[in-house]
Amino acid sequence: MATCRGGLLLRGARRAAFGPAEPALWGLNSIKGNCHNFCTAVHKDVTYEELKNLLNSKKIMLIDVRNASEILENGKIPGSINIPLKEVGEALQMNPEDFREKYNEIKPSKSDHLMFSCGAGMRSKKALDIALSLGFTKSQNYAGGWKEWSTYEHTEKKQGN
């Protein structure tokens, strides 16, 4: 009998703390709407092979969030556009004409597939969080960044692929 009362007390305390929304806290699948705090948990990073296939399909916009000087010094993934991390939030909220003028590209819509990259995945993760918080729900991160891309590309060229 004491166990039963303890269980009832525990359930009562849970209900008081969480209310009827408690089931939503049990899994990310039940979270709907703006998921800023949870989005990166449900968006998996993209591998080199996946990125290469997506670039070949021309179904993504790859945004390199490194500084322009890093790109000039090291190179960039072909087909990427440079929007430094400090500009990502503002850029994704620009009107289309201003975006085209500044970045020489068509501004992505919230339904477009965006991919973020940087040197090794840290800044691109931050850019992903910004994009998701602004409603760009089809955004992903290439965590390997330029470092991984250049290693694979250098190896493929050496092998004659």
Side-chain angles (χ1 to χ4, degrees):
M1 206 62 150
T3 315
C4 184
R5 284 185 185 160
L8 287 173
L9 285 174
L10 183 56
R11 269 191 301 247
R14 257 193 312 232
R15 187 170 298 126
F18 297 113
E22 183 184 15
L25 298 175
W26 291 338
L28 293 175
N29 291 337
S30 59
I31 295 171
K32 305 244 187 264
N34 184 350
C35 60
H36 176 66
N37 294 329
F38 300 100
C39 281
T40 53
V42 296
H43 284 78
K44 81 173 190 65
D45 290 339
V46 173
T47 66
Y48 165 80
E49 286 296 328
E50 290 169 328
L51 178 59
K52 194 154 183 159
N53 290 334
L54 286 166
L55 287 169
N56 288 334
S57 75
K58 307 221 184 276
K59 293 182 179 178
I60 65 163
M61 176 181 275
L62 178 60
I63 299 173
D64 189 326
V65 298
R66 293 178 294 160
N67 296 320
S69 60
E70 292 175 87
I71 292 172
L72 288 172
E73 185 178 324
N74 301 305
K76 69 176 197 155
I77 298 172
S80 65
I81 66 165
N82 179 229
I83 303 176
L85 177 60
K86 67 180 187 230
E87 297 175 21
V88 169
E90 181 183 333
L92 293 177
Q93 296 178 78
M94 283 181 166
N95 70 51
E97 295 80 26
D98 291 344
F99 186 94
R100 186 162 187 67
E101 186 176 313
K102 184 164 186 170
Y103 301 108
N104 202 29
E105 290 286 337
I106 295 172
K107 181 183 179 265
S109 72
K110 291 186 177 184
S111 63
D112 287 338
H113 189 171
L114 301 182
M115 185 73 59
F116 293 96
S117 72
C118 63
M122 297 303 292
R123 286 173 286 178
S124 57
K125 167 87 169 62
K126 289 178 183 176
L128 171 65
D129 288 342
I130 292 167
L132 291 170
S133 74
L134 293 172
F136 290 83
T137 58
K138 293 183 180 177
S139 298
Q140 291 183 283
N141 180 33
Y142 174 48
W146 172 253
K147 191 174 187 178
E148 180 180 81
W149 178 272
S150 61
T151 300
Y152 275 108
E153 291 294 300
H154 181 70
T155 302
E156 284 186 12
K157 283 185 174 62
K158 270 185 138 175
Q159 294 174 351
N161 291 335

